[in-house]
Amino acid sequence: ELVLIKNVNVLCIARTELGEIIAGTKKGLFSLKSGKFINYKPIGEKNKTLNETPIYDIEVISANEIWYSTFGMGLFLQDPGTFQNLNSRDGLKTGGMIFDMVSDGNSTFIATRNGLFQFKNNNIESHYTKKDGLPSNIILDIDLDNKGNLWLATSNGLSKFSGKSFKNYSRKEGLPAKLVTTVHADKVD
């Protein structure tokens, strides 16, 4: 049953493997219970400011791993025992914004205002920018195809990352505009 929830600016929504609905808003995280948004407050003093931070994306990896991207506070990883924040101290120098993320099982790729980051083995392992072949450092959306290629929507075209190199697409290759705000890769054989 649909219920109108007033005065909440929802930026993203996800369903956990246990069926809980979590929403990222301009004012932090909320869970939906009985048609009402309830503030989702992780335990710990250091997580207090999360309730005032815009949550731009939620990526449910498994029942034991959920990622939250924010505007201004880096990335949060929730697992059964912890709620940890990854930010510039961890090598995640995003320029303030994380737009999206996707996981391939071994790595989590993070789309930011400062290029593409790869998180693997509990570390920021790689950071790709224009100098590595991206058409822009501003990556607005990201998706993974069934062959392991990353597709990146950027402020200067579309890019495909094979894990080794970038293939960029622009108006020259038929894009209708320079700015690509979203991308979706169908999972087909």
Side-chain angles (χ1 to χ4, degrees):
E1 181 178 332
L2 291 176
V3 176
L4 177 62
I5 301 170
K6 296 181 182 181
N7 301 323
V8 177
N9 292 317
V10 175
L11 301 173
C12 60
I13 195 162
R15 182 183 300 263
T16 68
E17 288 192 0
L18 300 174
E20 180 182 20
I21 295 175
I22 302 172
T25 74
K26 287 188 174 182
K27 298 277 185 181
L29 285 170
F30 288 81
S31 63
L32 184 63
K33 295 190 192 244
S34 303
K36 294 184 180 181
F37 269 133
I38 298 166
N39 200 255
Y40 187 77
K41 297 179 183 178
I43 298 170
E45 191 67 30
K46 66 181 180 180
N47 297 322
K48 252 185 177 176
T49 54
L50 181 63
N51 295 325
E52 300 162 7
T53 301
I55 307 296
Y56 196 76
D57 189 38
I58 300 169
E59 187 75 24
V60 177
I61 306 300
S62 70
N64 297 323
E65 183 179 356
I66 303 173
W67 291 84
Y68 305 96
S69 65
T70 72
F71 279 175
M73 284 193 62
L75 194 63
F76 285 84
L77 170 60
Q78 180 181 9
D79 59 33
T82 62
F83 201 91
Q84 68 180 9
N85 179 228
L86 303 169
N87 53 37
S88 59
R89 290 184 315 269
D90 304 296
L92 189 61
K93 295 176 173 87
T94 65
M97 295 185 178
I98 298 175
F99 293 105
D100 196 12
M101 71 209 98
V102 67
S103 178
D104 72 355
N106 298 323
S107 297
T108 298
F109 292 92
I110 306 159
T112 77
R113 185 179 189 94
N114 186 24
L116 177 68
F117 289 84
Q118 181 181 15
F119 182 81
K120 187 175 184 178
N121 300 322
N122 291 321
N123 288 312
I124 298 297
E125 190 168 282
S126 303
H127 177 207
Y128 302 97
T129 63
K130 282 176 65 170
K131 68 179 173 50
D132 300 300
L134 277 169
S136 169
N137 285 341
I138 300 172
I139 303 170
L140 300 169
D141 196 25
I142 187 171
D143 203 4
L144 183 69
D145 70 20
N146 60 335
K147 295 184 174 148
N149 297 305
L150 290 174
W151 290 88
L152 310 159
T154 80
S155 64
N156 194 24
L158 183 67
S159 187
K160 177 178 143 184
F161 181 55
S162 66
K164 294 182 176 147
S165 63
F166 293 92
K167 177 163 177 45
N168 300 318
Y169 302 89
S170 65
R171 288 180 137 181
K172 204 174 6 174
E173 286 78 31
L175 288 178
K178 178 173 130 171
L179 176 66
V180 179
T181 59
T182 190
V183 63
H184 174 75
D186 282 339
K187 314 293 193 263
V188 295
D189 293 327

